[in-house]
Amino acid sequence: AQSVTQLDSQVPVFEEAPVELRCNYSSSVSVYLFWYVQYPNQGLQLLLKYLSGSTLVKGINGFEAEFNKSQTSFHLRKPSVHISDTAEYFCAVSDTGANNLFFGTGTRLTVIP
Amino acid sequence: GAGVSQSPSNKVTEKGKDVELRCDPISGHTALYWYRQSLGQGLEFLIYFQGNSAPDKSGLPSDRFSAERTGGSVSTLTIQRTQQEDSAVYLCASSNRDLFRGYTFGSGTRLTVV
């Protein structure tokens, strides 16, 4: 089974600064990769996903992530964060051909004015 | 429907009472999942349905927890004799098994046991 590691449980960053949220997964087999965002008191919303093709994936709200197969990573980046980006971010992975996701423990991003 | 619908959005119950949480998945989504999220914590997998059957119910924390799904659609998560440690947000998600592109989550039910 897959496992997903989000090493940073909390990431504080100043407004308009860049941010990277790290995600590593365990298996080197063919995978689908996802980032979800959870704003306070809300459910999880899909931010972006990698299924195939270009390893650089662009999502909503200016976020992007890069799939690195050799490093089994799928780090999330944004060049300039806003206060409204304050939320919990979850990385998730599934093996292609499977239909269940394995989630990381989440990274709480706090944007400081 | 257009999205995953969960009801109620909030539920306050007394310790020892039974509660039912409902999830209405996206029409045509054959797979349905229940997760629990305690305050400030990550996602805890509870149970997975494919159609009306539950091939994986390994995450149910005790025999007080049960879930069913009928007609390949609506699912109900039942917690009997609720305890304070059951207080959490219960999230439901659905996906299309034949064209898996990740989960779509509902907004959750916030359960508070007093």
Side-chain angles (χ1 to χ4, degrees):
Chain A
Q2 284 280 0
S3 69
V4 181
T5 302
Q6 292 183 246
L7 284 172
D8 305 306
S9 60
Q10 297 190 54
V11 173
V13 62
F14 286 104
E15 191 175 15
E16 298 183 4
V19 69
E20 178 179 84
L21 306 183
R22 296 180 292 169
C23 173
N24 289 87
Y25 60 95
S26 61
S27 173
S28 60
V29 298
S30 184
V31 294
Y32 293 152
L33 295 155
F34 305 82
W35 276 98
Y36 285 85
V37 59
Q38 186 179 32
Y39 298 106
N41 300 312
Q42 296 187 28
L44 275 73
Q45 177 183 354
L46 182 65
L47 197 57
L48 50 77
K49 60 179 180 274
Y50 169 80
L51 303 177
S52 65
S54 172
T55 56
L56 183 63
V57 180
K58 294 189 183 296
I60 61 172
N61 300 337
F63 283 92
E64 64 181 30
E66 186 158 19
F67 169 47
N68 187 319
K69 186 173 182 178
S70 63
Q71 296 185 6
T72 60
S73 68
F74 191 55
H75 300 332
L76 181 70
R77 302 184 183 101
K78 184 170 182 178
S80 176
V81 294
H82 301 138
I83 296 291
S84 59
D85 293 324
T86 294
E88 188 89 19
Y89 292 80
F90 292 92
C91 180
V93 61
S94 73
D95 294 332
T96 56
N99 58 357
N100 58 323
L101 287 178
F102 294 89
F103 285 89
T105 51
T107 298
R108 183 173 300 276
L109 174 65
T110 302
V111 180
I112 305 164
Chain B
V4 178
S5 178
Q6 290 189 247
S7 61
S9 56
N10 280 284
K11 176 72 176 179
V12 180
T13 190
E14 293 181 352
K15 179 181 173 181
K17 300 277 190 180
D18 298 352
V19 294
E20 286 189 351
L21 311 181
R22 176 188 168 106
C23 173
D24 199 343
I26 290 174
S27 178
H29 277 192
T30 55
L32 186 147
Y33 314 82
W34 283 98
Y35 285 82
R36 179 168 73 173
Q37 188 175 30
S38 300
L39 186 63
Q41 301 299 308
L43 297 168
E44 177 187 4
F45 168 77
L46 298 178
I47 188 170
Y48 154 58
F49 285 93
Q50 182 57 47
N52 291 336
S53 64
D56 187 353
K57 54 179 79 172
S58 62
L60 295 177
S62 75
D63 59 7
R64 295 187 296 105
F65 287 72
S66 63
E68 66 174 10
R69 190 179 184 195
T70 55
S73 181
V74 173
S75 175
T76 302
L77 177 68
T78 302
I79 309 173
Q80 296 178 310
R81 306 181 301 283
T82 52
Q83 304 295 313
Q84 288 187 329
E85 61 263 28
D86 299 334
S87 296
V89 176
Y90 290 81
L91 292 166
C92 175
S94 69
S95 73
N96 185 334
R97 182 191 183 190
D98 294 327
L99 188 67
F100 184 71
R101 293 295 182 262
Y103 298 171
T104 301
F105 281 88
S107 298
T109 294
R110 182 177 298 277
L111 176 65
T112 304
V113 182
V114 297

